[in-house]
Amino acid sequence: MTNRRLLVVFTIACLLVVFAGGVSGVSDAHHGVTEDPDAPHPGTTTFDTNPSDTQPPETQTLETQRHDEATDPDDGEEPDDGTLETTYFEIIYDEAYEAEADTIADVADDHYEVLHQKFGLEVPEERLQIFVGPRENQPCDAAGCVDPLNRVWVTSDSRSLLHHELVHTIQLRQHWSPLNALSPPDSGEGMFIEGTAKYLDSSPDAIAENARFDPTLLEMTPYPDGSTEYAERALFVEFILANHDRDTFDVLYLEGDVDALEAETGESYADLRAAFDDQLETQHDRLQAGGTPLPAFTYDVVEPEPGETITLDARTPEPVTALERSWYPEEPAAFEWDLTGDGEIDETGETATLEIPQGEALGEWSGEVTLTVTIDGETYTGTQPIVVDHDHELAVLEVITPDSAVVDDPFSTSVTVENQGHRTVSEIINLEVGDQSVTAKQVDLEGGEERAIDLEATLRGLEAGTYEVQIVGEESGVLYEGAVRVETVVADDTAADSDRDDELEFGDRDDAIPGGGIPAAVTAIGVVLVLGLSLARWRPLTARG
């Protein structure tokens, strides 16, 4: 009987030890961490430039009064007899206006490009609609207008009319749009809108011929009525250009805001109006002599890519000469170009050549070119942004890279890149640690495509320390910056175990009781002793009597 009791005690003790170790092993897996299968591996850093909890701003819509009183596009009757497409336009015409539509299709792109380059604006990707038809079908009682949907309505193929309305489409996008949450323009702003458009579509002689130079007759309401009031609004614009500079003119055109004008000039609008009235007589003579120079230039590639070479041209372009006007009242004696934004003259002459920087140099470039012209001993300066096509540049969506690495051991980084443009891109991506390019890989992506690529390398020749990690595109420049801690040796796990053995921390040893360690073992021994004592005193029950 004693041997049987001892066998039972031994069996129960073994079961308890195994059970304690198994339960403890499950609960303590990975040292007390429940691993998320989707989480990055411990020791890595995740870089996410597009977190899912970022929401786009809420679009605000409000009703505004449009210039030429085109308040409701539904008031117009869209023609549908024919359609022409150009690079930037869809021209829809009434059958009786086919010849006018053909003429507009021939010249509209050129006018559009000049207006965008002149003011450093990116040309929209979507085609703009132009409706050509009779006046009674338009949503406004005018020869032409732009409706709240930014669609152009014209009744003829007049280039002056087309240029005028294309100016308005840019103003609508830049500062007079429901999407910008602006109120309807006040009298000053309405004057800026029509004044800049008229100044840009007419010759100084035509403005002088139509305007009244009597301050008691000038009423600068937002919506002019007839050629006289349009010309008078252009007078104020020319006054600003003559008494201030090209930058102030750009504020009138691109911002159309009284506050912005006052901030740029340092004068109140009331003082500007008073000065304008006082100079009307001399302004008449100035306009008949050709008006104030408007230094500007175009370039032969609409939106050049990094690394591309373009030719800058300060001569008045054909779409402007077709309006019987020039950017200069007479031929300038000198043209000087600052191509880098450092204030130094880099080239002289009517034209200049500029290679668009790329990579890190593109980020360091001001992105602007300044032209200075000399006329009758006076200098006039204009600075224009160069719109660079960044569509080919890659965007980094995510980077997973180790926090630490060991010299002469593999070092792996995962990068998710996206071509956010519309053109196919082929670019070499470099992984740099410190000042070393440790590996590179070429990536080819269609427009809108994204892909994860693995950059694997072995770090060599580095000392222990923390180094900068960069993902660099040969054309796109630096796409990501991080850091990695580099070690030269790996800690010896065997020696560490030996040290722990000396301290009797045997629960951490590989050959110790699995899972539970010291607590589980002590518990099991205690249970064995209790059971042993209990069984030693146990007697079977017997029936009495």
Side-chain angles (χ1 to χ4, degrees), residues 334-337 345-352:
F335 297 85
E336 297 175 317
W337 302 86
I345 302 303
D346 299 302
E347 290 194 29
T348 59
E350 294 177 334
T351 63

Side-chain angles (χ1 to χ4, degrees), residues 260-278:
L261 177 61
E262 292 178 336
E264 182 69 25
T265 61
E267 300 180 47
S268 70
Y269 179 56
D271 288 343
L272 290 169
R273 276 299 310 273
F276 165 66
D277 291 344
D278 291 342

Side-chain angles (χ1 to χ4, degrees), residues 340-467:
T340 59
D342 61 0
E344 300 294 328
I345 302 303
D346 299 302
E347 290 194 29
T348 59
E350 294 177 334
T351 63
T353 301
L354 171 66
E355 181 179 351
I356 304 299
Q358 53 186 330
E360 293 186 24
L362 180 61
E364 297 171 356
W365 179 46
S366 68
E368 296 179 333
V369 169
T370 297
L371 168 67
T372 301
V373 299
T374 302
I375 301 175
D376 284 340
E378 299 289 334
T379 58
Y380 303 88
T381 300
T383 299
Q384 294 177 209
I386 304 297
V387 179
V388 177
D389 179 9
H390 294 278
D391 279 352
H392 73 287
E393 287 191 334
L394 298 179
V396 170
L397 302 182
E398 185 180 51
V399 174
I400 301 177
T401 185
D403 290 333
S404 61
V406 177
V407 174
D408 295 334
D409 275 4
F411 178 73
S412 178
T413 296
S414 175
V415 184
T416 301
V417 293
E418 180 184 29
N419 177 9
Q420 296 183 337
H422 302 282
R423 305 176 184 178
T424 299
V425 61
S426 178
E427 187 166 355
I428 296 176
I429 304 298
N430 290 276
L431 172 62
E432 297 182 1
V433 178
D435 57 359
Q436 296 183 14
S437 177
V438 296
T439 188
K441 182 175 289 188
Q442 178 170 311
V443 59
D444 301 295
L445 295 174
E446 300 290 334
E449 182 183 1
E450 69 175 66
R451 184 182 307 156
I453 60 174
D454 293 323
L455 300 172
E456 300 181 352
T458 299
L459 303 182
R460 303 184 187 281
L462 297 177
E463 298 179 354
T466 300
Y467 292 84

